[in-house]
Amino acid sequence: VAFADTAKLSAQEKFDALKVKGIFAGDTDGLAHLERDMTRAEFAKVITKVMGLKEVTGTYSYNDKGYNNPKNWAAPYIEAVSLAGIMQGKDLTKKLFDQKANVTVQELAEVLVKALKLEIPTKVDNTATEWAKGSVQAAINAGLISKDLNFQGNASRSLLVEATYAVDLIKNPIVVPVTSAT
Ligand code: 6LA
């Protein structure tokens, strides 16, 4: 067996590939809108899909207003990524997730470290917030995010597509059989 050829794809092409696999659904109109932001709830759904996690229903671990409600479409995904140890919310004591906030670049880095089990480097040199410095450095060193980004700023859907595609390649590689030449 051999790993399938990974040609250089554009963010749009990666989005299209992830959409076919049901990992991204597109914005309300089904389109990529790569320049837009994404909420933490939406990203929890994407991570659930790309990691192949089982949705968790009937459990409400967070205390955010309106969270504990069967009509909260995002709760099964947020519970799934929480159970898997990939997201933990913004406040462990108050149990706050903040599902309507946008995903920041440093939050993306935190997710990547946990999803891909990246090692936190000993040498850390970046402008991320204290809790994210190690994860941001790990993601930079792995080539998953640029060192020049505003880590406290929102991650664009384009960046989230690129990162998710990288996770998908590692977690769900396409293995094609290779017949030996005779
Ligand atoms: C509880 C805590 O220390 N949270 C950190 C950080 O781990 C969180 O990462 C994610 C990706 C999450 O797990 O939900 O986004 C929010 C981050 O909040 C941080 O504390 C402000």
Side-chain angles (χ1 to χ4, degrees):
V1 295
F3 289 111
D5 185 25
T6 55
K8 183 90 187 89
L9 299 178
S10 67
Q12 180 64 52
E13 287 167 329
K14 289 178 182 177
F15 171 83
D16 293 341
L18 292 169
K19 191 176 173 191
V20 167
K21 294 178 92 170
I23 294 170
F24 269 84
D27 220 327
T28 42
D29 55 8
L31 300 178
H33 293 293
L34 295 171
E35 74 296 345
R36 290 187 186 168
D37 304 321
M38 182 180 286
T39 65
R40 290 168 48 77
E42 291 166 336
F43 194 47
K45 180 177 176 184
V46 167
I47 294 300
T48 300
K49 300 277 183 192
V50 76
M51 298 295 290
L53 304 175
K54 193 172 173 329
E55 294 166 36
V56 177
T57 53
T59 303
Y60 299 93
S61 305
Y62 294 97
N63 295 330
D64 303 72
K65 191 163 176 278
Y67 180 81
N68 183 347
N69 185 336
K71 288 189 182 151
N72 180 5
W73 66 268
Y77 304 112
I78 293 170
E79 294 296 329
V81 295
S82 300
L83 186 63
I86 297 173
M87 293 179 88
Q88 60 176 349
K90 295 187 173 179
D91 190 318
L92 292 180
T93 311
K94 293 182 181 160
K95 295 294 290 172
L96 298 177
F97 188 85
D98 204 5
Q99 72 178 63
K100 290 182 182 161
N102 289 320
V103 187
T104 63
V105 174
Q106 59 194 17
E107 288 171 4
L108 166 62
E110 189 89 335
V111 167
L112 288 171
V113 162
K114 289 171 180 167
L116 297 176
K117 297 188 173 33
L118 299 181
E119 200 173 320
I120 304 293
T122 46
K123 190 169 176 297
V124 171
D125 179 20
N126 63 64
T127 57
T129 306
E130 206 52 43
W131 58 264
K133 277 187 183 296
S135 298
V136 163
Q137 198 64 51
I140 292 170
N141 293 2
L144 294 167
I145 62 172
S146 158
K147 66 177 177 39
D148 301 319
L149 291 173
N150 169 14
F151 306 118
Q152 287 82 7
N154 293 340
S156 63
R157 284 172 62 88
S158 177
L159 178 61
L160 294 166
V161 164
E162 299 272 3
T164 305
Y165 191 85
V167 173
D168 187 46
L169 272 186
I170 293 167
K171 289 286 164 191
N172 312 307
I174 305 162
V175 180
V176 283
V178 176
T179 48
S180 54
T182 51

